[in-house]
Structure formats: C-alpha cells, structure tokens
Amino acid sequence: MALRLAAERPRQLRFLRSRLPSLQDAEDAWQDAAVKFLQHADALGAAERPQVWMGVSLRRLVVDRYRRAAAQRRTLEALAVQPPSETTDTGEDLVAPGDCLKAALGELKPEYRQILAETYLDERPLKAVALHHDLTANNAAVRLHRARNALRQAMAEKCRSCPLADCWAKARAEGLRTPHRASRSDARAA
C-alpha cells in the first residue's frame, strides 16, 4: 500500500494543487488523504480500480475543505457585522452562560440528572446507560425524553431574568428538543 501511495503521490498532488489555493494546502490535503487511504487499506486493496477510489476520495476531500473554509468565512463575516456590545457598569452581576444550566440541572430529579449527564455529557449510548441502570431500552428512552422536557421547563423558568440575550444555556436547552442521535438509534435497536 505504501508503494502504491508513493507512486500515486505526484499525480495526486498535481490534482490537489490545481484545485486548492496553495502548495501547502495541497500537501496538507494529501497527508489527510494518505492517512485515510492507509486506514482503509483493506478496502482499497480489494477495490477493482483503486486509482478511481482514491480519485473520488480526493475530490470529496477538496469539497469538504472548501465547505469548511466557506463556513469559517461566514462565521467571521457575521462576527464582523455584529455591533460592539455596549456594556455599562450597572452593578448587576452577569450570569455566566453555564450557570443557569447548572442551576436548572440541580433542580431535576436525580435519575433525570443522571441520564442526561451520562447520555449527553459522557456521550454514552442510551443502550449502555439502560444496561448500567437495569432499565429496558424503551424505559431509558422514555426517561431521557422526560428529563429533556423537565430541563427545558426548568431552563425556561430560570432564564427569564438572564441578562445575556444569546445565552449559550438557552440555546443548548432548545437543542435538547431533538433526541440524541445515539439514543434514537439505540432505542430502535431494542
């Protein structure tokens, strides 16, 4: 595989250089592609036409790089357009964005706190969380659903007086409306 990569490198670098802004970007992209090729060496070796597989992978890599660059550019443009915040010292203590989330989590039932923490913070699959707590997958999914609703309600009550207009905790609580992808697939598998 290493010999095949070495043989293909000049051609692939020409391809990348013609599509990326600089030689350094092309080199970086080729390094990323080489790692991917080595990780999938068995599939690449079994492929009928490995050069075609590598070419498709390189095209996707170029598209992904342009998408990431465009997203970064849009973010920077949006930040540049935002007016500077006019903060005056009014004596009010501003609440840190995570404080209202922590306070809302503290008001939940312990089993709700625990399933939210294990599923979202520890990023454990719902099925594993269910096994850990001797629950069925369906029961764990129901508990997680109820925990998200309880957290959303607690956040709505806590954050009414939040001085931060774009509070991270509010946005995170709103994001909990859609179930965690892992929990959705685990619940279906059970």
Side-chain angles (χ1 to χ4, degrees):
M1 182 54 157
L3 293 174
R4 180 178 287 165
L5 278 177
E8 291 290 321
R9 185 177 189 274
R11 187 179 63 78
Q12 291 173 348
L13 273 176
R14 278 193 309 273
F15 171 81
L16 291 170
R17 180 61 188 109
S18 69
R19 285 159 178 79
L20 294 173
S22 71
L23 180 60
Q24 183 179 4
D25 289 336
E27 287 282 349
D28 289 344
W30 190 84
Q31 289 294 325
D32 292 344
V35 168
K36 181 180 179 183
F37 297 154
L38 290 173
Q39 286 174 341
H40 300 306
D42 53 341
L44 188 57
E48 195 171 305
R49 296 181 357 194
Q51 289 82 6
V52 173
W53 189 86
M54 286 192 262
V56 169
S57 295
L58 289 174
R59 283 186 197 93
R60 288 181 181 157
L61 189 119
V62 169
V63 169
D64 288 344
R65 284 181 169 262
Y66 275 110
R67 285 181 182 157
R68 268 194 306 272
Q72 288 174 345
R73 188 177 55 252
R74 284 191 304 268
T75 301
L76 290 175
E77 288 170 356
L79 289 174
V81 172
Q82 281 185 343
S85 62
E86 297 178 18
T87 57
T88 57
D89 191 13
T90 59
E92 293 180 19
D93 292 330
L94 293 179
V95 178
D99 288 349
C100 50
L101 179 60
K102 289 176 188 171
L105 277 171
E107 292 181 2
L108 299 180
K109 293 180 181 179
E111 59 268 14
Y112 288 175
R113 265 195 319 266
Q114 196 167 25
I115 200 162
L116 284 170
E118 289 181 30
T119 306
Y120 290 103
L121 301 177
D122 299 340
E123 296 182 355
R124 292 181 57 201
L126 186 59
K127 198 172 200 175
V129 174
L131 286 174
H132 181 257
H133 294 286
D134 295 325
L135 299 170
T136 65
N138 190 36
N139 191 348
V142 169
R143 185 176 291 179
L144 182 61
H145 173 74
R146 289 178 180 166
R148 283 193 304 260
N149 285 338
L151 178 61
R152 193 176 310 111
Q153 184 177 0
M155 288 296 296
E157 292 169 7
K158 282 280 178 201
C159 282
R160 286 193 180 138
S161 63
C162 186
L164 300 174
D166 58 343
C167 179
W168 171 87
K170 285 181 186 177
R172 183 67 184 126
E174 287 300 313
L176 291 178
R177 279 194 181 155
T178 57
H180 195 261
R181 286 183 185 160
S183 62
R184 207 185 277 167
S185 62
D186 288 341
R188 285 186 197 141

